[in-house]
Amino acid sequence: PVFPYPPIDGGKTRVYNLLREAARTNDLHLLCYIEPDQKQYLPEIEKICRTVTTVDFPAPLGNLGKIGEALFPMYYRRFYTPAMQEALSRILAERPLDIVQMEFDKMLVWGRFIRDTPAVYIEHDVASLYLNGGKNPPLPGWGRVIDLLEWMMGEPVSVIAKTDTFLAKIEVEDTACAIIKFASGALG
């Protein structure tokens, strides 16, 4: 959801390297939020992507109380802005896309706007949440998300996963796929 340059932390480094490698054989169109001090780095990403569309990062929002936060936590609500909706709608109307990749759970809200284009959702932090048992989560709001998933689907009862290196000739996996079976029988 954030501008991937400079690649100074795990998420930005991963996205930057994926963009760089995928751009060798694909036309990439990046849409993301950006902080004012990151705008100086736009030329670096414009070297890689055919188009770069940015939306100013939204200001923090106030708390909605227990019920409001349970329904739409600030952790997600902050990333749902009219400016991002307008930019996404414009991009989807202007050009046909082969696939849309949404990084991080915060961007899932945009999946409902992507109707005629295949979409892939990439989550980087889910494994650490389950390793932590959903307790003392690394980011605010995650505890509620894990609790909500367990409430809706039950406890995870099995996981089948496969990792591999597909995008770049590197010594670590850059692709993972997992199927989680929940106590309710739901698959995710």
Side-chain angles (χ1 to χ4, degrees), residues 21-131:
E21 291 299 319
R24 294 179 189 215
T25 56
N26 300 280
D27 289 330
L28 303 179
H29 304 275
L30 176 67
L31 170 61
C32 64
Y33 286 108
I34 192 167
E35 298 279 0
D37 63 332
Q38 294 174 313
K39 292 181 181 182
Q40 65 182 315
Y41 301 113
L42 276 166
E44 294 300 322
I45 297 300
E46 289 168 340
K47 293 176 190 173
I48 298 171
C49 298
R50 179 167 289 245
T51 64
V52 178
T53 305
T54 60
V55 174
D56 289 337
F57 202 86
L61 302 169
N63 190 299
L64 295 177
K66 287 183 180 182
I67 294 174
E69 287 298 317
L71 296 173
F72 199 15
M74 187 183 322
Y75 177 73
Y76 298 100
R77 195 166 22 97
R78 183 173 183 203
F79 290 88
Y80 183 79
T81 65
M84 181 61 82
Q85 182 176 345
E86 181 181 311
L88 177 60
S89 296
R90 187 178 62 251
I91 289 169
L92 292 171
E94 287 175 355
R95 65 184 68 90
L97 300 174
D98 294 324
I99 193 164
V100 172
Q101 179 173 321
M102 294 179 286
E103 291 281 330
F104 296 96
D105 63 318
K106 297 173 226 126
M107 302 308 279
L108 281 177
V109 68
W110 301 110
R112 67 187 180 139
F113 296 99
I114 304 165
R115 301 208 186 277
D116 299 323
T117 304
V120 175
Y121 162 60
I122 307 296
E123 176 51 58
H124 307 271
D125 299 318
V126 170
S128 66
L129 295 174
Y130 280 102
L131 291 174

